[in-house]
Structures are given as structure tokens and as C-alpha cells.
């Protein structure tokens, strides 16, 4: 069985969380009825927190299955680059070629639609494109309702499928957030949610030393490495180059699950 087949985890029961939610609130009612508010109120707060906190935790599987690492036996990592395509894409492709590295580019649909030639360049260079929503609603993705969530995932999927000639297999949520409505469109488009094992916060921090220190802490065989392009600090190409040097120094090869 291929690595991709092993990792491909399409949500089977998009609304399974409802059963847990109903059971938890029945428990709250029972506690409140039998033991009063001193037990019922804390139980109410705790059960609500149990469904709210996972929204902001990228590796938690409550609302959809998620891939957090490769089942790799050797010193291999899955290099992923978010937020493109951008003006940085050509230089990043050159850096990848110099290092003999392969990557999965998690692309934003509307950005890909505006720069279709860069999608073609990514694919022609032997890399992979994946779904990173259509408009990248950074500050409100976690709060999207079912219709808006379906549009963000579905429109990006249709755009990237048309540009690439085949539908993406992987999806990365904005900031890794989820909510109760993310699983249904993933199931509809046969997408698997991908998180990460290690990140350097290179989207917000342009200092190579700090970025590499964070990346190094999470490097291990099978790690999913998260990088970005088009960051506002303007140093994304430099940071990708530095990360590639780090991987080479540590003896890691980059692979795409295929």
C-alpha cells in the first residue's frame, strides 16, 4: 500500500461530533438535577470548552481526521509550503531544484486563479498542489458556517482542479483551525486534512536563526514541515533556502506521499 493510500483519511461521519455533544449535555442536565448547580455549572463550562478548544488545536481529530506525520522509516520529511502562489514562487522553485527537494504547495484558490502560470510551473517542476481554501480568511476561518465553509473548500478545489488537471488530495485549514462544519466539504471533495509536525512561524517571523531553531526542535523521521511564501516581512525565499540547508545538514530527504 502506498504512503498516500495509508494517509488518505477522508471523513466518514462528518456529524459524529453531534452525538458526543448531545451525550455531554445530557450528562450536564443529570448532574444539575441530581447534585445542583455547584456540579452542573462546572460541568456545563467544561463540556463547552471540550468542543471549543479543539477548534484552535491543529492536531485534534474531533471535527475531522488529520494527518500529522508520515509513516516514514528513514530520514524523510514531507515539506509543505502554504499561502501561494506569490511573487516568491519562482525563486522558491529554483531553491528546491538546487537542493533536489520536492514539496507540496498548499495554494489559495483566488491567488492561483490570478497566477495560473505559477501553478503550471509548480507542477512542471515535479511538485504537488493542494487546497488551502479559496480566499484564506485568516481571522474568521474558525467561525465559518456550513455554507461559507463549503464555498471556501469547494471553490478552491474546483479552481485548482481546473488549473492542475486533477483534483487535489490534501487540504490544510487556515492556521490549522477547524470547526463542526469542515468535515462535510472534505468528504464531498474526498480531501484529507493535513496539519504539521514542525513549524518555524516563518509567516510572521523573518529571523532565520529563530525560525530554524523552532524547525529543528520538531525535526524527526516522518515529520511534516510547514513553511510559507509571500510573507509580509519579505524574507520567505531566504527562510525556505535556510530550511532546505538545515534539512540537508541533518540528513533529511524530502518526499511527497505518492
Amino acid at each position: 500500500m502506498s504512503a498516500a493510500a495509508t494517509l488518505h483519511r477522508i471523513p466518514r461521519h462528518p456529524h459524529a461530533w453531534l452525538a458526543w455533544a448531545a451525550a455531554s449535555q445530557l450528562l450536564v442536565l443529570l448532574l444539575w438535577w441530581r447534585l445542583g448547580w455547584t456540579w452542573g455549572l462546572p460541568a456545563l463550562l467544561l463540556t463547552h470548552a471540550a468542543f471549543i478548544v479543539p477548534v484552535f488545536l491543529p492536531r485534534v481529530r474531533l471535527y475531522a481526521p488529520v494527518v500529522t506525520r508520515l509513516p516514514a522509516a528513514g530520514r524523510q520529511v514531507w515539506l509543505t509550503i502554504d499561502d501561494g502562489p506569490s511573487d516568491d514562487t519562482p525563486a522558491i522553485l529554483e531553491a528546491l531544484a538546487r537542493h533536489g527537494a520536492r514539496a507540496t504547495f498548499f495554494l489559495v484558490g483566488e491567488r492561483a486563479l490570478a497566477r495560473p502560470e505559477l501553478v503550471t510551473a509548480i507542477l512542471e517542476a515535479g511538485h504537488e498542489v493542494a487546497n488551502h481554501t479559496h480566499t484564506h480568511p485568516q481571522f474568521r476561518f474558525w467561525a465559518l458556517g456550513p455554507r461559507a465553509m463549503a464555498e471556501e473548500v469547494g471553490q478552491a478545489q474546483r479552481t485548482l482542479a481546473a488549473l492542475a488537471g486533477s483534483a487535489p488530495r490534501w487540504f490544510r485549514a487556515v492556521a490549522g483551525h477547524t470547526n463542526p462544519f469542515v468535515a462535510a466539504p472534505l468528504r464531498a471533495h474526498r480531501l484529507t486534512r493535513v496539519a504539521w509536525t514542525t513549524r518555524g512561524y516563518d509567516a510572521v517571523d523573518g529571523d532565520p536563526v529563530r525560525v530554524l531553531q523552532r524547525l529543528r526542535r520538531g525535526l524527526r523521521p516522518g515529520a511534516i514541515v510547514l513553511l510559507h511564501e509571500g510573507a509580509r516581512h519579505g524574507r520567505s525565499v531566504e527562510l525556505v533556502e535556510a530550511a532546505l540547508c538545515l534539512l540537508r545538514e541533518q540528513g533529511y530527504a524530502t518526499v511527497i506521499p505518492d
Side-chain angles (χ1 to χ4, degrees):
M1 182 179 293
S2 70
T6 303
L7 292 174
H8 215 53
R9 298 169 187 168
I10 300 165
R12 285 194 250 176
H13 307 290
H15 306 297
W17 62 274
L18 281 170
W20 291 102
S24 70
Q25 297 317 294
L26 285 173
L27 177 61
V28 169
L29 288 173
L30 179 62
L31 285 172
W32 208 309
W33 176 45
R34 297 297 297 272
L35 301 175
W37 71 269
T38 55
W39 285 81
L41 181 57
L44 178 67
L45 296 175
L46 286 172
T47 55
H48 278 66
F51 288 93
I52 294 171
V53 172
V55 167
F56 305 101
L57 301 178
R59 297 184 182 89
V60 174
R61 295 168 166 81
L62 177 62
Y63 295 118
V66 62
V67 177
T68 59
R69 64 181 304 277
L70 289 176
R75 293 181 74 80
Q76 297 179 336
V77 297
W78 183 4
L79 181 61
T80 64
I81 302 174
D82 284 11
D83 295 353
S86 69
D87 291 339
D88 294 333
T89 305
I92 288 175
L93 290 175
E94 291 177 7
L96 292 169
R98 285 196 305 274
H99 288 267
R102 299 181 70 198
T104 297
F105 285 76
F106 284 84
L107 303 182
V108 177
E110 65 177 10
R111 298 173 190 172
L113 198 59
R115 307 288 293 273
E117 74 283 358
L118 294 180
V119 179
T120 300
I122 290 169
L123 295 169
E124 289 182 346
H127 307 292
E128 181 182 39
V129 300
N131 187 324
H132 194 39
T133 74
H134 193 65
T135 67
H136 199 270
Q138 184 168 351
F139 300 109
R140 59 185 182 87
F141 178 82
W142 65 273
L144 293 180
R147 183 177 300 177
M149 182 68 75
E151 184 63 20
E152 280 291 339
V153 176
Q155 186 59 39
Q157 189 74 351
R158 290 186 290 271
T159 296
L160 295 172
L163 294 175
S166 61
R169 300 175 294 172
W170 315 110
F171 171 80
R172 176 166 285 149
V174 179
H177 295 165
T178 59
N179 73 19
F181 309 115
V182 72
L186 296 186
R187 178 177 172 82
H189 297 284
R190 300 189 60 77
L191 284 162
T192 295
R193 184 165 69 101
V194 178
W196 54 83
T197 313
T198 185
R199 66 181 303 183
Y201 291 92
D202 57 305
V204 294
D205 188 350
D207 184 280
V209 174
R210 291 194 296 265
V211 169
L212 292 184
Q213 285 174 341
R214 297 184 191 111
L215 284 175
R216 185 181 289 110
R217 285 196 291 267
L219 274 182
R220 58 182 63 91
I224 301 175
V225 180
L226 170 60
L227 295 171
H228 296 81
E229 59 176 297
R232 291 184 179 180
H233 52 61
R235 304 185 71 180
S236 291
V237 176
E238 177 185 351
L239 294 174
V240 170
E241 178 77 44
L244 290 169
C245 290
L246 172 66
L247 293 175
R248 184 178 61 192
E249 291 167 2
Q250 298 291 316
Y252 285 98
T254 58
V255 297
I256 294 174
D258 58 7

